[in-house]
């Protein structure tokens, strides 16, 4: 019987969390995107970097 891996293989370390605004009703007015901020979401800064930097960890 083969034992399955029980750990995730695509994890990366989180070094810093940042708050990203969550918008609702985004619209285009006078050449700009405008929206109402509903709240904020904590997101690892690594998610905002490009794929090349993320794979370097």
């Amino acid at each position: 019987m083969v034992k399955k891996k029980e750990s995730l293989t695509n994890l990366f370390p989180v070094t810093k969390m940042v708050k990203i605004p969550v918008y609702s009703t985004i619209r285009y007015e006078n050449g700009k995107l405008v929206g109402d901020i509903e709240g904020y979401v904590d997101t690892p800064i690594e998610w905002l970097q490009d794929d090349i930097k993320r794979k370097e960890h």
Side-chain angles (χ1 to χ4, degrees), residues 19-53:
K19 291 193 179 291
I20 295 179
V22 176
Y23 291 93
S24 69
T25 64
I26 295 176
R27 58 200 175 277
Y28 191 72
E29 291 180 359
N30 298 326
K32 296 181 181 179
L33 285 175
V34 180
D36 301 323
I37 296 178
E38 288 286 316
Y40 294 89
V41 163
D42 287 329
T43 304
I45 197 164
E46 288 81 10
W47 288 6
L48 305 175
Q49 297 173 346
D50 58 60
D51 288 337
I52 295 170
K53 286 185 178 182

